[in-house]
Amino acid sequence: QVQLQAYGGGLVQAGGYLRLSCAVSGRTFSNYAMGWFRQAPGKEREFVAHISWSAVSTDYADSVKGRFTISRDNAKNTVYLQMNRLKPEDTAVYYCAADPGRGSYYYTGSYDYWGQGTLVTVSS
C-alpha cells in the first residue's frame, strides 16, 4: 500500500506564496505519477497539477498555469507544489494523490491513494 501525508498549508495574503509538500511512504514512490487536487468549501474536488514518474512531463489546470509549479524528489519520496502569486480563489484544502495510471489524471477517480489534505487560505 501507499500512504501520503500533505503539509505546508497556511494563511497568506493575496500575492504571496506557499510551498506544499507531500511525503509518500514505501519503496514504490518512483513508480507513481503524482497529482495535486484542491477542494473549496461547497465545491467539488478539482484537478490542479500532475507530474510523471520522471518529472519530465507536467500539466496544470488553466486556473493555476503560470503561477503553480509541481515537482518531485524521488530520493526523498516527496512531491511539491510551489504556489506563487496566490489569489483568494485559490483558497481550498489541497490534496496530493498517487496515480496508478489506469485513467486520465484529470479525474479524481483515476487515483488510488490520497493524502489527508492541507488547508490553504488566501486573504484579500
Side-chain angles (χ1 to χ4, degrees):
Q1 63 176 356
V2 177
Q3 294 181 327
L4 301 87
Q5 182 72 27
Y7 56 94
L11 174 63
V12 298
Q13 290 186 325
Y17 59 90
L18 283 173
R19 188 176 79 160
L20 306 183
S21 300
C22 179
V24 184
S25 66
R27 297 178 293 177
T28 61
F29 175 71
S30 296
N31 297 125
Y32 285 91
M34 298 291 296
W36 284 97
F37 288 75
R38 67 186 183 186
Q39 187 166 19
K43 296 186 177 181
E44 296 182 350
R45 191 169 299 185
E46 65 177 358
F47 170 76
V48 175
H50 183 271
I51 188 167
S52 65
W53 287 8
S54 65
V56 173
S57 179
T58 59
D59 193 25
Y60 301 90
D62 289 342
S63 59
V64 307
K65 194 172 299 181
R67 299 188 297 118
F68 290 11
T69 302
I70 187 171
S71 62
R72 67 190 297 162
D73 186 340
N74 290 346
K76 296 182 178 180
N77 286 358
T78 302
V79 62
Y80 306 95
L81 185 68
Q82 179 67 46
M83 306 184 296
N84 298 326
R85 292 181 283 121
L86 285 161
K87 304 175 180 179
E89 49 264 44
D90 294 320
T91 295
V93 176
Y94 284 72
Y95 300 89
C96 59
D99 176 13
R102 68 169 181 263
S104 173
Y105 55 72
Y106 184 81
Y107 300 102
T108 59
S110 298
Y111 295 78
D112 287 338
Y113 306 100
W114 294 84
Q116 86 288 356
T118 184
L119 177 63
V120 173
T121 303
V122 184
S123 62
S124 60

